[in-house]
Amino acid sequence: MKKKTMIGGLAALFAITTVVFFACQKDATKSTSSSAVDNAKGGSTAGAYDKPTITCGEATLSSIDIVVTAGGTGAPAGFSIQWMTLDDYDLYGWPACDGDICQSAPSFCKASFSGKANLSNYNLVAGQSVTVNIGDLLFDNGASTSCPGELQCGTSYVFRCFAHGDSKKGQSKFGANLTCSTLPCDEACTHFGFGVWKQRCPDISGLTLGTHDYSPAQVCCILNNSPNPGNGLLIVAHQLIAALLNGVDPNNADVLNAQAYIGSAVLTQATNDDGSCNDTNIGFKKAGDPESQFPGMIGRLKHANETCQ
């Protein structure tokens, strides 16, 4: 009888040990699985894309080119860039989270460049680079930002970047910080980028853009209409308007090319009775066309507008 009791006790102990063992194994599996998901999202395991690298490109008074280069895994889903002034970074650092409800520095901005958009330029293979212009983003397919305005002249900015995740791999961690600066402010310069002219609407005059004449109020409507999602006509018009208001020679080859690109397209309708803009049914050309039709046109107009050269 005593022997039976001992055997029964051992059996019960074995059963308890087995339950505890499997329970621990289940918890460990759950913990490992959860950690893998978290790490993949953060990019610290093989399940995440490699961090892209960024370098400073050319700068103007109000914009900075950032060259993004994909890591060894590429960045087929695209990437995001965040930035703020160096002064704000020294005071606040990067926000603790990346949502709209997170408290962050006053100058904190972000832009997304999706590699999944149709005909996107941002689905990068390993080692491939692409240049984006912070302060005057080209709103082509896949590009969006919380800060479409110009940067401040004579100001240092801090940038960081990560590769987007997709069904194959998680998003990467942020790469190293990069500091770049806009050109020093030129008090004698009377040339302004389109963002400044947008704020000076009361001072502008009517213009001929393409084959249509526009009143001062209509020119303001065009300047204030965002080219998102990639209206090449508005992208070109913004630089052309600034060039004409800055006094660039109307017979300049880039000005003539811009006028030809716009052609007979309607950039804004007549303003409404209350003076508000009526931007319905305006012309549309996919962004990217201007570069293929007139290479360098936008960049040269922008440079002339922002550097007094």
Side-chain angles (χ1 to χ4, degrees):
M1 187 68 171
K2 189 182 269 190
K3 189 173 182 181
K4 245 183 182 177
T5 304
M6 183 178 293
I7 293 173
L10 288 172
L13 179 61
F14 175 77
I16 292 171
T17 304
T18 303
V19 171
V20 172
F21 172 76
F22 282 113
C24 290
Q25 189 179 47
K26 184 176 180 182
D27 287 344
T29 303
K30 182 178 179 182
S31 176
T32 302
S33 174
S34 174
S35 176
V37 171
D38 291 344
N39 287 336
K41 183 177 180 182
S44 62
T45 72
Y49 285 106
D50 290 343
K51 295 179 289 188
T53 58
I54 53 176
T55 55
C56 303
E58 293 186 2
T60 70
L61 293 169
S62 58
S63 67
I64 298 172
D65 283 345
I66 299 296
V67 182
V68 181
T69 303
T73 57
F79 54 89
S80 286
I81 297 177
Q82 298 180 353
W83 68 94
M84 68 176 78
T85 64
L86 178 58
D87 287 345
D88 273 0
Y89 176 75
D90 289 340
L91 285 173
Y92 300 94
W94 295 113
C97 54
D98 189 26
D100 292 336
I101 61 171
C102 299
Q103 190 172 4
S104 57
S107 63
F108 176 73
C109 293
K110 53 188 176 180
S112 173
F113 304 89
S114 173
K116 298 299 185 182
N118 185 38
L119 301 178
S120 170
N121 294 317
Y122 309 116
N123 48 348
L124 306 180
V125 298
Q128 184 180 359
S129 299
V130 65
T131 299
V132 296
N133 185 270
I134 305 299
D136 187 15
L137 283 174
L138 180 68
F139 284 100
D140 55 0
N141 289 6
S144 61
T145 181
S146 62
C147 301
E150 298 184 333
L151 303 180
Q152 303 171 36
C153 62
T155 304
S156 294
Y157 288 84
V158 179
F159 299 86
R160 66 176 182 173
C161 178
F162 68 87
H164 294 167
D166 57 18
S167 59
K168 296 180 180 178
K169 288 181 179 291
Q171 78 174 42
S172 75
K173 280 189 172 181
F174 285 99
N177 288 352
L178 173 72
T179 301
C180 311
S181 302
T182 51
L183 294 181
C185 300
D186 183 356
E187 298 300 332
C189 182
T190 57
H191 285 193
F192 306 110
F194 84 88
V196 176
W197 281 115
K198 182 168 62 174
Q199 299 168 13
R200 297 187 172 210
C201 275
D203 301 330
I204 69 176
S205 57
L207 295 172
T208 298
L209 306 171
T211 61
H212 295 289
D213 295 329
Y214 296 94
S215 68
Q218 290 174 313
V219 173
C220 283
C221 286
I222 297 168
L223 282 173
N224 282 280
N225 192 7
S226 170
N228 199 21
N231 189 343
L233 290 170
L234 289 176
I235 293 170
V236 172
H238 286 169
Q239 297 301 332
L240 176 59
I241 290 171
L244 295 174
L245 293 175
N246 286 333
V248 174
D249 184 354
N251 293 315
N252 174 287
D254 292 311
V255 170
L256 293 176
N257 285 340
Q259 295 282 25
Y261 177 80
I262 293 172
S264 61
V266 175
L267 301 176
T268 190
Q269 304 289 345
T271 51
N272 297 320
D273 292 339
D274 61 358
S276 61
C277 301
N278 181 354
D279 294 322
T280 58
N281 300 317
I282 66 171
F284 184 90
K285 262 189 186 180
K286 181 186 174 317
D289 290 346
E291 295 289 50
S292 60
Q293 292 188 20
F294 303 107
M297 171 186 68
I298 295 176
R300 286 190 295 270
L301 283 175
K302 184 174 185 301
H303 182 74
N305 289 335
E306 297 181 2
T307 61
C308 285
Q309 296 177 9

